[in-house]
Amino acid sequence: MSRHHGPDRSLRHAVRLARVLLSSQYALMLEFRAEIVLWALSGVLPLIMLGLWSGTGVASIPGFTPQRLVHYFLAAFVVRQFTIVWVIHAFEEDALQGRLSPALLQPLNPFWRYLAAHVSEQATRLPFVLAIVALVALVHPAALWWPTPAGLLLALLATHLAFLVRFVIQSALTMLCFWSERAAALERLLLIPYLFLSGLVAPLEAFPEPMRSFALNTPFPWMVWFPAQLLSGGTVPVARGFGVLAAWGLLFLPIAVLLWRAGLRRYSAMGA
Amino acid sequence: MPIIRAEGLSKTYRVADKQPGLLGTLRHFVARRSRDVPAVSEVSFAIEPGEIVGFLGPNGAGKTTTLKMLSGLIHPSAGTVEVAGCVPFRRQGRFLRQISLVMGQKQQLIWDLPPLDSLRVNAAVYGIEDAEAHRRIQELADMLELGDELTRPVRKLSLGERMKAELLAALLHRPAVLFLDEPTLGLDVNAQARVRRFLADINRRTGTTVLLTSHYMGDITALCPRVLLIHQGHLFFDGRLDALTERLTPCREVRLELAEPQPAAAFAPFGALESLEGRRVRLLIPQEQLTGAVARLLAMFAVLDLEVSEPPIEELIGRLFQQGVVG
């Protein structure tokens, strides 16, 4: 068995592992391409909200013209597609079906596999997202815009960071699967504030002031509204946005690690 | 120096206690009650490097729980355990690289992809270079008589092919200790024989220590010079298989289909009558009397069909405990 010594070999090992995990998960995702089309279609909530808002409500959103609103919701749709996290559902099913045990017996934390699965799913989702955007542009040519290079770069960074933070927060909740066989129900509960406060149903500017202030103290708007505004050319506090996302991630990462260690002590390898 | 050492190993599970019916359901919803169920109690044994040891016991005896503790999947409630110089439940990389667990009804292979994809992942996880991984896969595939099965999705493989691919995946990193939980469950006779041959071969070639549970006496007799016998969480026997066989009354199961139904008393001279359903009869006959008994049965009754087999190991062990031979 080859062992790894020194930072060079460790890095080489990590890069190879990442490459192999991503390619195998991508191959797996391609087996489910029809399902991924349906997932991509199921994320069109921002486009539905666009239809609702463009009727009457635009005038009441400060700083939003009808065209800006179209750009915002299209950007929110794209951001949403690349920040979807389902690790709690996958983990819960794996734990109940006894598939977690074989993964625990390997010298690799199973969450790296889940992370690779999410990234691969995003890669699989990309062409379908582009197709939906192209379709919207075909029907409504005014919906398209060219983001500035800086806006595009920041939006990309913010989207990836938002995804990672969501993954870390949901991973911390996932650890509750060690205590309850139905921990995913908690995630379903959190979906309600996520939907309303993230900016998926309306840009944060449409909220009354107390509501907006409250929302900005939660992680939710920074996961969709913040990157969507960056992408669509809106005005957002850039440094605060990245700072808040990093802070939520850094808060939940040690919680996830501690719960993981405590959870493993309770693990009874059910179903295995 | 033992490669596996367990001292007073115990595991108690806390399980929910729910009464049946609507009232029980409502009570369970309002105030959950649970109770402690001891699965393994003060089990001690030591296994030397290179041994193949059979782990026997009826369902629920504590075999799988013990294997889970030895492989580090679950924490023991009490006692100490050491495998390959490590404490399993700490799950250090050094430990995980030295062991493998194969469960007959569970798989580590990715269900929708060919086994080769899972093997590539395993090679990367264990840090085995591509060329070396390729060489090992080839060698193990030859031993297991696996060919194009490695490029077919796992879900399209037969149970036997899948188990062979699982064994290949489990041994790619050359573990020092291999735990097997019912590796031949559900396999046909030929596949069982191939798996047994492979395990014996691997043990001989690489000195891998093997601890296996099985319901098939054939697995145990073919592979394990030494057995551990566990019942209701307690270890009752630890010794050579032939010493255990001496304690078991060696017998064979004889199934008959008769042309005409016969009274139970008619079978008393032949052995223990296990069941009598119309024209179908099941007898347990001591092995040394088998030939004579079968000849007399054929002479005495109009027999349409006759089958001789080993009785299930669970039944033999059950008898053993009933007779109080062990303990």
Side-chain angles (χ1 to χ4, degrees), chain B residues 206-264:
Chain B
T206 63
T208 307
T209 308
V210 180
L211 179 58
L212 87 111
T213 75
S214 180
H215 269 76
Y216 298 116
M217 199 58 188
D219 287 347
I220 306 297
T221 49
L223 290 168
C224 310
R226 176 183 166 196
V227 290
L228 302 171
L229 184 56
I230 190 169
H231 183 61
Q232 293 176 346
H234 295 273
L235 190 66
F236 277 93
F237 179 86
D238 175 359
R240 294 194 58 78
L241 177 63
D242 42 24
L244 179 66
T245 320
E246 275 173 28
R247 292 198 190 187
L248 290 163
T249 306
C251 53
R252 287 287 180 269
E253 186 180 84
V254 177
R255 288 169 186 267
L256 297 165
E257 188 181 346
L258 304 173
E260 298 290 333
Q262 300 291 334

Side-chain angles (χ1 to χ4, degrees), chain A residues 1-4 9 13 16-17 20-21 23-24 27-28 31-32 97-98 101-102 104-108 113 264-265 267-269 271-272, chain B residues 13 68 71 73-75 91 93 96-97 99 101 103 106-108 110 112-113 120-130 136 155 173:
Chain A
M1 183 192 318
S2 6
R3 300 299 302 268
H4 297 270
R9 297 199 73 172
H13 174 63
R16 178 180 172 222
L17 187 55
V20 171
L21 277 181
S23 66
S24 66
L28 189 59
E31 291 284 315
F32 306 119
Q97 301 290 324
S101 297
L104 284 173
L105 290 170
Q106 293 199 337
L108 176 75
R113 285 176 194 266
L264 281 180
R265 288 190 69 89
Y267 183 57
S268 59
Chain B
Y13 289 116
K68 285 176 182 172
S71 59
L73 274 179
I74 59 174
H75 279 235
R91 303 178 14 84
L96 295 173
R97 286 171 195 281
I99 63 132
L101 168 65
M103 290 176 271
K106 298 286 163 196
Q107 86 258 346
Q108 64 154 302
I110 304 170
D112 292 296
L113 294 180
R120 272 183 66 232
V121 173
N122 278 16
V125 166
Y126 289 99
I128 307 163
E129 296 300 333
D130 284 336
R136 290 188 195 179
R155 64 171 188 270
H173 61 287

Side-chain angles (χ1 to χ4, degrees), chain A residues 30-265:
Chain A
L30 288 185
E31 291 284 315
F32 306 119
R33 53 194 182 275
E35 200 176 333
I36 286 175
V37 177
L38 295 177
W39 289 345
L41 286 174
S42 70
V44 295
L45 177 68
L47 302 182
I48 295 167
M49 295 318 295
L50 167 63
L52 290 176
W53 278 97
S54 56
T56 54
V58 189
S60 62
I61 307 177
F64 273 78
T65 62
Q67 197 173 21
R68 268 282 296 128
L69 195 73
V70 174
H71 294 169
Y72 172 80
F73 275 119
L74 201 53
F77 163 73
V78 174
V79 169
R80 164 80 177 136
Q81 290 293 324
F82 295 102
T83 51
I84 290 173
V85 175
W86 36 266
V87 60
I88 195 165
H89 303 286
F91 185 91
E92 184 182 274
E93 197 184 318
D94 285 350
L96 289 174
Q97 301 290 324
R99 287 193 295 258
L100 183 61
S101 297
L104 284 173
L105 290 170
Q106 293 199 337
L108 176 75
N109 189 308
F111 277 80
W112 290 112
R113 285 176 194 266
Y114 292 120
L115 185 63
H118 279 72
V119 174
S120 305
E121 191 226 16
Q122 288 170 9
T124 321
R125 209 179 259 262
L126 181 65
F128 301 113
V129 173
L130 292 177
I132 291 172
V133 170
L135 194 68
V136 171
L138 203 68
V139 176
H140 194 7
L144 272 196
W145 79 100
W146 291 107
T148 63
L152 184 63
L153 183 68
L154 287 173
L156 272 174
L157 285 173
T159 305
H160 286 309
L161 187 58
F163 160 71
L164 282 176
V165 172
R166 233 189 134 205
F167 186 87
V168 168
I169 293 176
Q170 201 180 96
S171 296
L173 295 178
T174 299
M175 301 312 164
L176 301 178
C177 289
F178 287 119
W179 285 266
S180 163
E181 286 171 22
R182 292 286 178 267
L186 192 64
E187 170 62 18
R188 285 183 204 109
L189 189 70
L190 283 177
L191 194 64
I192 298 163
Y194 171 77
L195 283 178
F196 284 96
L197 301 178
S198 65
L200 278 175
V201 294
L204 230 59
E205 288 77 359
F207 290 14
E209 177 44 35
M211 186 72 168
R212 185 161 63 234
S213 298
F214 169 75
L216 287 171
N217 285 312
T218 69
F220 306 117
W222 307 102
M223 291 173 174
V224 177
W225 169 78
F226 174 60
Q229 280 285 55
L230 284 171
L231 188 61
S232 61
T235 310
V236 276
V238 178
R240 183 183 170 195
F242 281 104
V244 169
L245 276 175
W248 281 107
L250 290 173
L251 175 70
F252 273 89
L253 189 60
I255 294 175
V257 172
L258 286 174
L259 287 174
W260 169 251
R261 287 183 188 155
L264 281 180
R265 288 190 69 89

